[in-house]
């Protein structure tokens, strides 16, 4: 089997794909950005689509593709080319777009029209993208993950995140933006630690997208206003994220908008960490409330603080939930299971 991967730009994936035996081509693939989701943006999309057809058709003449797989709903070039070439097209939908209802409806119809099969990373994502037609071609396949074996000093990793041996370390990992819930978590955490002697620390790991650094400044202001700067640490993008999971006691995913899936949760579970998550989106398919962690009312500071207090106060509960989470992750969210379903 020969595999050609078309990417919009060079990056860290290129050598990894090439080492796996794929041919990598870089050029226009009609990648849709949020700034293009407007009426004026439709003209940019049309121009990008024309360029993508020329670029991909040139590659098709060399390799004669038998199937096209689009790994995100944000790329349209492969979908249109598959229709022009009359070959099957699999569209893997991993995200949910918010904004104009008319544009969202247009996305749904295009995906329905230009796909032989639609793979969705959660039931929530499927319910968002499905609009009409054959519901059986919309498949739900959860993402897979296998926790690697990492030999590091847990105590040293905890110290690097601001926690001592007796502290309960809460961790949030994710891009700093308007909906991942960092400020909500700070407010909940402040309810636990301000004016109390409880031994808890909070590490927020991640960076804002380029051009959106204001979210980082807003988060810093929120921490200062909450009077908990001495117990909260901000860590930029961390390339060795497994070290963070090893250091953590509890992982929190308080997204204020529904997550299409919630990969952070399955990674944390793979390392035996209990997860507190907002009860919406794909997270409700991952976290079993009261068994592998806690599901809390989205955007509810008090509910989040109560769940954190429960976790902080009961070491045995954290260990039981962590073990149950690891078992669930291994059984339902493994790479082997993911690959088997895709095949």
């Amino acid at each position: 089997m020969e595999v050609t991967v078309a990417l919009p730009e060079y990056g860290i994936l290129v050598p990894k794909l090439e080492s796996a035996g794929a041919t990598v081509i870089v050029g226009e693939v009609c990648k849709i950005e949020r700034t293009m989701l407007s009426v004026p943006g439709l003209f940019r999309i049309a121009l990008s689509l024309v360029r993508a057809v020329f670029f991909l058709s040139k590659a098709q003449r060399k390799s004669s593709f038998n199937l096209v797989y689009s790994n995100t709903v944000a790329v349209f070039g492969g979908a249109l080319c598959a229709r022009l070439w009359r070959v099957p097209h699999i569209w893997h939908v991993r995200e949910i777009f918010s904004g104009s209802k008319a544009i969202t409806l247009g996305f749904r119809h295009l995906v329905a029209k230009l796909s032989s099969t639609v793979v969705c990373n959660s039931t929530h994502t499927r319910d968002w993208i499905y609009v009409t037609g054959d519901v059986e071609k919309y498949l739900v396949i959860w993402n897979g993950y296998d926790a690697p074996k990492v030999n590091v000093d847990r105590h040293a990793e905890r110290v690097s995140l601001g926690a001592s041996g007796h502290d309960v370390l809460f961790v949030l990992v994710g891009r700093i933006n308007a909906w991942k819930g960092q400020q909500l978590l700070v407010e909940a955490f402040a309810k636990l630690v301000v004016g109390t002697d409880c031994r808890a620390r909070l590490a927020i790991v991640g960076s804002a997208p380029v051009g959106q650094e204001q979210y980082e400044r807003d988060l810093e202001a929120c921490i200062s206003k909450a009077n908990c700067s001495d117990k909260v640490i901000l860590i930029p993008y961390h390339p060795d994220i497994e070290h963070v999971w090893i250091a953590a006691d509890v992982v929190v995913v308080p997204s204020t908008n529904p997550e299409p899936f919630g990969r952070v949760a399955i990674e944390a579970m793979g390392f035996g960490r209990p997860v507190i998550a907002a009860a919406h989106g794909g997270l409700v398919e991952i976290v079993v409330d009261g068994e592998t962690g806690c599901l809390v009312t989205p955007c509810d500071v008090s509910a989040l603080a109560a769940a954190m207090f429960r976790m902080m106060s009961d070491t045995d509960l954290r260990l039981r939930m962590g073990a149950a989470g690891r078992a669930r992750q291994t059984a339902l969210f493994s790479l082997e299971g993911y690959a088997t379903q895709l095949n």
Side-chain angles (χ1 to χ4, degrees), residues 82-263:
R83 174 55 61 92
L84 295 174
W85 303 335
R86 297 184 179 182
V87 299
H89 176 239
I90 299 173
W91 211 329
H92 203 143
V93 183
R94 305 174 181 276
E95 52 277 293
I96 296 172
F97 294 155
S98 59
S100 168
K101 292 183 178 180
I103 292 177
T104 298
L105 187 62
F107 262 82
R108 292 168 176 164
H109 280 287
L110 281 170
V111 169
K113 187 72 173 178
L114 298 178
S115 301
S116 308
T117 301
V118 182
V119 177
C120 304
N121 62 354
S122 70
T123 302
H124 183 77
T125 301
R126 183 198 61 193
D127 292 345
W128 173 77
I129 197 65
Y130 177 75
V131 62
T132 187
D134 183 8
V135 70
E136 292 185 358
K137 80 173 186 178
Y138 290 76
L139 307 179
V140 174
I141 300 178
W142 289 326
N143 293 343
Y145 174 76
D146 288 343
K149 295 186 182 299
V150 182
N151 185 21
V152 298
D153 185 331
R154 171 172 156 82
H155 175 72
E157 295 299 329
R158 287 172 59 80
V159 170
S160 72
L161 296 179
S164 70
H166 299 291
D167 293 324
V168 175
L169 178 60
F170 294 93
V171 169
L172 186 163
V173 173
R175 180 169 289 185
I176 299 177
N177 60 20
W179 63 274
K180 285 294 185 180
Q182 284 91 356
Q183 292 194 36
L184 180 80
L185 177 57
V186 168
E187 293 174 15
F189 181 71
K191 285 180 171 289
L192 299 183
V193 300
V194 174
T196 73
D197 59 356
C198 73
R199 300 295 299 270
R201 293 292 185 272
L202 171 62
I204 297 177
V205 183
S207 302
V210 175
Q212 300 180 33
E213 290 79 6
Q214 181 61 45
Y215 288 121
E216 295 181 6
R217 294 191 288 272
D218 291 344
L219 178 57
E220 291 169 355
C222 176
I223 294 169
S224 177
K225 182 179 179 181
N227 296 316
C228 56
S229 300
D230 59 327
K231 296 186 178 182
V232 179
I233 186 170
L234 301 181
I235 306 291
Y237 167 76
H238 201 298
D240 299 316
I241 201 63
E242 294 84 5
H243 296 196
V244 175
W245 304 138
I246 289 171
D249 291 303
V250 182
V251 174
V252 189
V253 193
S255 308
T256 56
N257 287 352
E259 293 274 358
F261 179 67
R263 181 180 173 86

Side-chain angles (χ1 to χ4, degrees), residues 141-142 334-343:
I141 300 178
W142 289 326
S334 69
L335 283 178
E336 181 180 1
Y338 175 70
T340 298
Q341 292 182 80
L342 280 179
N343 289 334

Side-chain angles (χ1 to χ4, degrees), residues 13 65 71 132 161 221 229 326:
L13 278 179
F65 304 133
N71 197 36
T132 187
L161 296 179
S229 300
R326 183 186 289 112

